[in-house]
Amino acid sequence: MEFFTVNELKKAFTNGEVKEEILKGINLSLKKGEMTALVGASGSGKSTLLTIAAGLQPASDGQILFEGKNINTMNQEQIRKIRASKFGFVFQFAHLVPFLTVEEQLMLMLDVSESRLNKHEQKSEVNRILKLVGMDHRKTAYPSSLSGGEKQRVAFARAIIHQPMVLFADEPTASLDSKRSKEIMSLIRDLTKNLNITTLMVTHDEEMLPYTDRIIKMSDGLILQNFEPQAKS
Amino acid sequence: MNLAWKEVKKNKLRFLILGSIIFLISLLTFIISGLANGLSQDNAALVKDLPDGQFYMNADADETYNLSRIDRHIQEKLLTSQKDVAALSIQMGFLNDKNDKQQSVAFVTSTESKMFENVKPGEIILDRSMEDKGIKAGDILTNNQFSGEFMVKGFVDQKKFSHAPVAFIHIENYKEMYRVGEMQLIFVPGQDKAQEADGLQSFSKKEFLDTIPSYNAEQMSLNMIVWFLVVISGMLFAIFFYMMNVQKIALYGILKAIGLKTSALFKMMWTQMLFITGIALGLSAALIQGFNMFAPEEIPFRLTIETISLLSMVFFIIGFIGATLSGVQIKKIEPLQAIQQGEV
């Protein structure tokens, strides 16, 4: 079922007198629970596409239809509400709040998403998700005492604690070594499948592609190929 | 979730430094303000403690009270125009005690009035600070310009003029000492606006205080220091929160990206500002109250709860403005920029 559709999406920047077209009319659809990877050379427009789709920057033209509504015509507050309650984010760096413990990072996300759970239920949910990402033994730790891989696990837990419909991941393994990258990718794949979360991910790392359901190859602001990977781990 | 408190708890040293600076600046502000008030009281308690009203002096006196000589007919007219009006004269001078030691005083005499001490000829009432100089009720004091003697009838609290203790004497004794028949000033209590009087110039209480030599210069200098310190503390808040916000731009961007409202970030900053300022002001106010109670008599220090409350309010307002100004950048932060900036 397609519930997230991008139609004729364009993005142009004006640099002095030069107008630069980053996206030149992108069309794509995301299926519920599917994991899609955006790949391509630097400057192909994949990160721009991800951030526009996530409502982090506006498009110059085109539509981003989420649950039948065009995000591109919404005001800042409407977009913020969608980001808080229906989207989840994982970035290249974990970007954890330095003065919150692991448990508090997740509680904050539940607050931000205006979760209807009471405090007791919220704590139980935090414990459950931390167990799923294998971080329940570090719930009172501050980010400064965590390793890179642990931080990224917590960032992923924060991104899914409020049960978002779409997870946007911008090179989530770029700051990790090969072993840790595979662990994180495996975790993202398993949990998003179990929780039926749709994932749109940007990656440079070809080793991560077997974990995905669909690969979209971009070049010069256009989609070159849209295909399913050959092998999955 | 109380993000503000969590951050303060985790970064105790950082907030302790800001709190200490605010504490020291507010303490210094309270001290200077207390000294300004104390010196003002020391300089002109005689006038400051009078009820609101209008002073009149001779228009030719060039706004200098001891050059003023009010015509007797005009004086009589004003004295009978309203109840409680008093004519008075003030002159700086000396009294010799029983050991022939000179004591500087401000001689004050007035027509019959409840606002000033009235004595019989040969009697004198002194400001209580003269007790510290060894003078007691019943003592005999003399003056080189006075043929007779003054017998100390008693003491009154907080009656100072031009940093000297006031000495209330009878109008006849004053006339003999200073060889004048006319009074210098007329005070009409309860009058908001001056009435027209031939050859007289009117002054509100504040305007009259400004005619006292040194009073205006002294008060202006001290008040300038007080307000300068208040402005400095506002700037400190702005700079401190600006520095903190610059360090946290990436964090704020991420929090915005995941959906935290900008207003929540402002609330976090305001809560921290109120918390730090509250504790710093509470400590400095408590310390200054202690100082107020135990300060040596020689230090002209006077700080009322009203002044502390007023200055504290100003500190809160200026801290709020300083923090808010620095927070403008929070509003400008784009989540995307923050994400691209790298790890927090």
Side-chain angles (χ1 to χ4, degrees):
Chain A
M1 187 189 138
E2 292 163 356
F3 74 113
F4 195 104
T5 314
V6 173
N7 293 329
E8 282 305 310
L9 195 73
K10 289 177 184 170
K11 180 71 180 177
F13 293 105
T14 307
N15 193 359
E17 287 178 6
V18 184
K19 192 178 174 188
E20 214 175 326
E21 270 198 298
I22 308 295
L23 299 177
K24 298 171 177 169
I26 300 285
N27 293 294
L28 73 89
S29 292
L30 301 180
K31 286 182 188 155
K32 191 95 180 142
E34 197 175 66
M35 189 177 212
T36 305
L38 293 171
V39 295
S42 289
S44 59
K46 56 189 189 302
S47 281
T48 306
L49 173 59
L50 181 118
T51 51
I52 291 175
L56 291 170
Q57 63 170 319
S60 305
D61 199 10
Q63 286 183 320
I64 305 146
L65 295 173
F66 174 64
E67 294 185 310
K69 288 176 187 162
N70 186 3
I71 292 178
N72 204 27
T73 56
M74 288 180 183
N75 64 32
Q76 286 296 310
E77 180 54 19
Q78 287 171 317
I79 296 173
R80 185 200 65 77
K81 276 186 179 164
I82 289 180
R83 283 208 307 264
S85 57
K86 297 189 172 172
F87 290 173
F89 296 92
V90 186
F91 305 104
Q92 183 178 346
F93 297 102
H95 288 297
L96 299 176
V97 182
F99 50 85
L100 296 183
T101 62
V102 167
E103 186 181 29
E104 288 165 348
Q105 308 276 347
L106 273 59
M107 292 293 277
L108 172 68
M109 192 61 231
L110 287 174
D111 271 2
V112 171
S113 64
E114 293 172 12
S115 163
R116 286 180 187 169
L117 302 176
N118 63 34
K119 280 283 162 212
H120 180 73
E121 290 167 337
Q122 284 187 4
K123 286 227 169 194
S124 300
E125 184 61 8
V126 166
N127 286 335
R128 187 178 77 84
I129 296 292
L130 284 178
K131 245 182 212 155
L132 288 177
V133 299
M135 287 298 292
D136 51 326
H137 63 296
R138 305 292 322 259
K139 66 180 181 184
T140 56
Y142 284 98
S144 55
S145 66
L146 301 177
S147 68
E150 284 178 324
K151 281 182 191 173
Q152 209 60 333
R153 279 169 185 267
V154 177
F156 175 58
R158 181 179 67 181
I160 59 165
I161 181 87
H162 57 302
Q163 297 177 350
M165 296 174 81
V166 189
L167 174 71
F168 294 96
D170 191 1
E171 307 210 35
T173 58
S175 63
L176 305 175
D177 60 38
S178 176
K179 188 178 167 234
R180 298 255 179 273
S181 294
K182 283 178 181 166
E183 277 175 22
I184 289 289
M185 272 312 297
S186 178
L187 188 69
I188 292 177
R189 179 178 169 80
D190 293 347
L191 286 182
T192 51
K193 285 287 165 198
N194 287 343
L195 300 168
N196 202 24
I197 296 171
T198 304
T199 305
L200 183 63
M201 177 181 76
V202 165
T203 184
H204 268 114
D205 191 347
E206 289 194 357
E207 282 189 54
M208 302 302 124
L209 298 180
Y211 294 90
T212 64
D213 300 309
R214 179 164 300 279
I215 298 167
I216 294 175
K217 196 167 183 184
M218 290 184 68
S219 175
D220 197 24
L222 289 167
I223 291 176
L224 280 188
Q225 284 176 290
N226 185 339
F227 60 99
E228 288 178 17
Q230 295 287 311
K232 286 181 189 172
S233 68
Chain B
M1 179 179 286
N2 192 345
L3 284 175
W5 174 239
K6 302 250 180 228
E7 188 178 16
V8 173
K9 215 171 85 177
K10 186 76 172 63
N11 299 305
K12 289 185 197 84
L13 184 66
R14 189 185 285 185
F15 287 94
L16 190 70
I17 291 169
L18 176 69
S20 306
I21 295 168
I22 300 302
F23 165 73
L24 290 173
I25 288 188
S26 59
L27 186 65
L28 191 58
T29 310
F30 287 149
I31 289 173
I32 305 273
S33 183
L35 284 174
N37 276 336
L39 280 168
S40 162
Q41 203 65 16
D42 201 54
N43 205 343
L46 176 78
V47 177
K48 286 186 80 177
D49 292 346
L50 285 173
D52 283 335
Q54 293 286 328
F55 281 90
Y56 292 88
M57 71 169 86
N58 205 317
D60 301 332
D62 198 22
E63 299 188 356
T64 308
Y65 70 90
N66 51 9
L67 293 180
S68 175
R69 302 278 182 272
I70 294 175
D71 183 87
R72 282 181 195 174
H73 299 292
I74 298 171
Q75 179 180 314
E76 283 309 312
K77 210 171 130 187
L78 272 169
L79 286 176
T80 51
S81 68
Q82 197 185 314
K83 212 180 143 196
D84 296 333
V85 176
L88 69 147
S89 286
I90 309 165
Q91 281 290 353
M92 304 307 290
F94 296 96
L95 281 170
N96 297 315
D97 63 15
K98 58 188 173 191
N99 301 321
D100 223 20
K101 194 178 171 193
Q102 278 197 330
Q103 304 288 352
S104 176
V105 293
F107 288 106
V108 174
T109 190
S110 71
T111 53
E112 192 77 23
S113 167
K114 287 176 193 164
M115 296 174 290
F116 302 98
E117 300 300 322
N118 298 122
V119 290
K120 291 176 189 155
E123 286 180 344
I124 193 166
I125 291 180
L126 299 167
D127 176 72
R128 196 167 300 282
S129 62
M130 294 295 277
E131 274 188 318
D132 299 335
K133 309 261 172 75
I135 295 169
K136 301 184 293 293
D139 278 5
I140 300 297
L141 305 172
T142 58
N143 176 276
N144 298 343
Q145 291 159 269
F146 182 49
S147 59
E149 290 176 334
F150 290 115
M151 199 264 286
V152 180
K153 191 187 168 193
F155 298 93
V156 281
D157 290 317
Q158 283 293 315
K159 289 286 179 260
K160 294 272 190 90
F161 187 82
S162 201
H163 296 297
V166 162
F168 291 100
I169 55 174
H170 190 267
I171 205 159
E172 290 306 320
N173 297 155
Y174 182 91
K175 281 178 182 174
E176 185 202 326
M177 284 165 69
Y178 294 102
R179 290 173 179 80
V180 286
E182 301 93 355
M183 301 296 269
Q184 295 168 342
L185 300 158
I186 291 174
F187 179 66
V188 183
Q191 211 178 41
D192 291 338
K193 282 185 181 172
Q195 65 184 74
E196 285 294 316
D198 285 344
L200 296 187
Q201 189 178 356
S202 68
F203 299 83
S204 66
K205 232 169 80 175
K206 191 188 171 304
E207 285 166 346
F208 180 68
L209 284 171
D210 289 342
T211 68
I212 301 172
S214 83
Y215 181 87
N216 203 14
E218 186 181 275
Q219 288 300 303
M220 267 180 71
S221 314
L222 291 168
N223 285 327
M224 194 188 77
I225 296 171
V226 168
W227 292 111
F228 195 60
L229 287 170
V230 169
V231 171
I232 286 177
S233 66
M235 285 167 68
L236 260 173
F237 268 111
I239 293 166
F240 184 86
F241 279 102
Y242 177 82
M243 301 290 277
M244 285 222 308
N245 290 339
V246 165
Q247 288 170 4
K248 293 194 288 187
I249 279 177
L251 171 66
Y252 287 155
I254 297 303
L255 290 173
K256 277 185 165 189
I258 64 173
L260 196 76
K261 289 179 184 172
T262 305
S263 60
L265 297 174
F266 269 92
K267 274 182 203 157
M268 175 179 160
M269 193 178 62
W270 287 329
T271 309
Q272 289 170 343
M273 188 282 296
L274 288 173
F275 176 73
I276 297 163
T277 313
I279 290 182
L281 285 175
L283 282 174
S284 56
L287 199 66
I288 210 71
Q289 276 299 310
F291 181 74
N292 209 356
M293 278 191 273
F294 302 110
E297 287 286 316
E298 292 76 27
I299 299 176
F301 191 86
R302 188 184 157 111
L303 194 61
T304 58
I305 298 287
E306 289 77 21
T307 311
I308 291 176
S309 309
L310 176 76
L311 280 171
S312 300
M313 280 297 291
V314 173
F315 267 106
F316 274 118
I317 292 167
I318 209 115
F320 179 80
I321 294 170
T324 306
L325 282 177
S326 78
V328 170
Q329 61 189 310
I330 294 177
K331 201 167 159 45
K332 288 183 187 164
I333 295 168
E334 290 293 333
L336 193 60
Q337 282 176 321
I339 294 160
Q340 286 162 350
Q341 211 177 61
E343 183 65 301
V344 180

